[in-house]
Amino acid sequence: LEGWRMHVTCADGGAAALQAMADAVAAHRPYDLAVLDMHMPQMDGLQLAQAIQREPVLARTRLMMLTSTYAAPDEATRRAAGIVRHVSKPMRRADLLRVVQGVLAGTADTEPQAHASAPRTPAAGGATLQGTVLLVEDNPINQGVARAMLQRLGLRMVLAQNGREAVDLVRGQDFDLVLMDCQMPVMDGYEAAAAIRALPPRHPGRLPIVALTANAMQGDEQRCRRAGMDAFLAKPYSLEQLRTTLAAWLPAGDAAPAPAAVAAPAAEEQACEAAIDVATLEALRELDPEGGDALVDELLRGFLAMARDAADAFDAAAERGDTAAVARSAHALKSASANVGAHRLARLYRAIEHAARGDDLAVARAQLPAMRAELDRVLAQADALLGQPA
């Protein structure tokens, strides 16, 4: 923001933000924009926005919200709190600039998406979609979340475990859209997308390919587009983000009931970040067709097995200085952790992955004690939630 010659003040929580805004008004220099994180201790972003709206002298400041999970407030709740735009983290620089410009210009709430050719008008919120989607994803936790979301949207799904399987499936079957993970063994998403584009078309028109990536680093979107992909969705993504993206190409189906609102944790519960975010688990329960705990239990058990199996291999790779293996493991565990609500653990894996990809093994190793301690916390809470001994 400062690089765009904006005057920026940082606040580490809701109370500090309200005080900074009041001070700015008193100095006759009110803020034009406030960027609110959704998940904060004591006062979350929605509560902060509501507090701002209750103060007429503060309510003139435009609000945008950032969230890294799919347990985000619905559009009506956000609008009632005065939030003009809602976007998911991590954000690319170009997207941030577009969103900030849009908020300051007073345009309506939209998620930044890659510019694809001739998209349809997105279906109204709450609508199901029609079509068959090929999901290309090797991570079992991500598979489970995506499957539940696609079923909730009324879509048929076929799974491919890697890019080579995806190319073979597209060669022999009809699909309306491909959801393509970028980081996979055997053949990654970039190679698979290019190979699909080289296939003789089965029908007139272009098969949409939407990239799924947990990196969201500068240049990722351009690389996806060069490989022949049409849009870009950063993981973890919300049900509404997935719906909005897919609705650009898939026709709307019948209206679906809106998911029940998830109650915000009390302030005292937010004071210390939980190992596993309860709001994320509640959002997963809303995706369960039976409305019970089956999906949550399945994903938690899968995560337990994945994390425990990877622990020894992860440590061994770090000890022998294999930065490529460390980066691969951290990448997979980062995404899985975020999808089950272990957000602090996901941040630690992200930091390790970033260091390993930069061949900075010393920085990666420095993060390992904190990662192991947080992993122990996550595994203990997951065991408790599943009712089994740690």
Side-chain angles (χ1 to χ4, degrees):
L1 293 172
E2 289 177 342
W4 297 320
R5 301 189 180 278
M6 297 180 181
H7 297 288
V8 181
T9 301
C10 294
D12 62 2
L18 291 170
Q19 185 61 57
M21 293 179 73
D23 291 345
V25 169
H28 305 290
R29 296 185 62 183
Y31 293 107
D32 299 298
L33 171 68
V35 182
L36 315 180
D37 186 28
M38 176 56 195
H39 296 287
M40 299 183 291
Q42 280 93 48
M43 182 187 299
D44 67 24
L46 181 61
Q47 292 166 330
L48 174 56
Q50 292 165 341
I52 291 170
Q53 291 302 298
R54 288 194 292 268
E55 298 292 336
V57 295
L58 306 183
R60 298 174 217 171
T61 297
R62 296 182 183 274
L63 307 180
M64 62 177 280
M65 175 176 283
L66 304 178
T67 180
S68 58
T69 75
Y70 41 81
D74 58 58
E75 182 178 349
T77 302
R78 295 196 303 266
R79 289 191 180 281
I83 297 166
V84 180
R85 296 289 270 280
H86 165 256
V87 292
S88 61
K89 299 185 293 185
M91 287 195 72
R92 298 177 299 282
R93 185 176 185 274
D95 282 338
L96 179 61
L97 179 59
R98 283 196 296 269
V99 171
V100 168
Q101 288 174 328
V103 172
L104 293 175
T107 56
D109 184 9
T110 54
E111 281 287 326
Q113 301 292 346
H115 301 290
S117 56
R120 301 171 183 264
T121 300
T128 60
L129 301 170
Q130 297 178 4
T132 301
V133 173
L134 174 62
L135 173 66
V136 192
E137 171 67 71
D138 68 307
N139 186 305
I141 308 303
N142 297 346
Q143 289 172 4
V145 173
R147 180 185 292 110
M149 288 186 178
L150 291 169
Q151 289 174 346
R152 182 65 177 260
L153 293 177
L155 295 165
R156 296 179 296 278
M157 189 206 81
V158 175
L159 176 67
Q161 301 275 359
N162 58 61
R164 185 173 296 166
E165 285 185 16
V167 176
D168 290 342
L169 285 166
V170 171
R171 185 183 288 114
Q173 297 184 37
D174 292 332
F175 296 100
D176 298 294
L177 185 140
V178 178
L179 278 176
M180 181 75 75
D181 185 36
C182 292
Q183 305 294 329
M184 293 180 294
V186 184
M187 177 186 285
D188 67 23
Y190 305 108
E191 296 172 294
I196 288 171
R197 292 299 179 219
L199 294 174
R202 292 175 59 85
H203 298 286
R206 179 181 172 95
L207 173 65
I209 303 177
V210 176
L212 301 176
T213 177
N215 281 338
M217 295 178 181
Q218 188 173 4
D220 280 352
E221 183 173 343
Q222 291 82 355
R223 186 179 179 190
C224 291
R225 291 181 63 76
R226 285 196 300 270
M229 303 193 210
D230 299 291
F232 179 100
L233 191 57
K235 297 188 290 189
Y237 46 84
S238 71
L239 178 65
E240 285 308 313
Q241 289 165 346
L242 181 63
R243 187 201 311 271
T244 300
T245 300
L246 301 192
W249 293 276
L250 302 179
D254 298 326
V262 177
E268 59 271 17
E269 294 174 337
Q270 294 179 331
C272 178
E273 184 177 10
I276 297 177
D277 178 37
V278 175
T280 300
L281 298 185
E282 287 299 325
L284 287 172
R285 289 187 180 95
E286 291 296 336
L287 295 175
D288 194 306
E290 304 300 323
D293 291 330
L295 176 62
V296 169
D297 288 356
E298 174 191 342
L299 293 175
L300 285 176
R301 287 195 174 91
F303 175 77
L304 285 171
M306 180 181 184
R308 286 177 171 141
D309 288 348
D312 291 341
F314 194 99
D315 289 345
E319 286 302 317
R320 68 176 180 266
D322 188 344
T323 54
V326 169
R328 284 195 302 270
S329 293
H331 179 85
L333 291 163
K334 169 189 68 177
S335 180
S337 300
N339 271 323
V340 298
H343 302 305
R344 184 170 184 272
L345 182 62
R347 291 194 296 271
L348 289 165
Y349 280 130
R350 182 182 298 118
I352 293 170
E353 179 193 12
H354 182 74
R357 290 194 187 281
D359 285 325
D360 196 337
L361 193 58
V363 172
R365 281 177 171 159
Q367 298 283 344
L368 294 181
M371 180 274 289
R372 293 187 187 105
E374 185 63 18
L375 177 59
D376 287 342
R377 278 210 319 146
V378 170
L379 296 180
Q381 186 174 344
D383 282 328
L385 288 166
L386 291 170
Q388 59 191 49

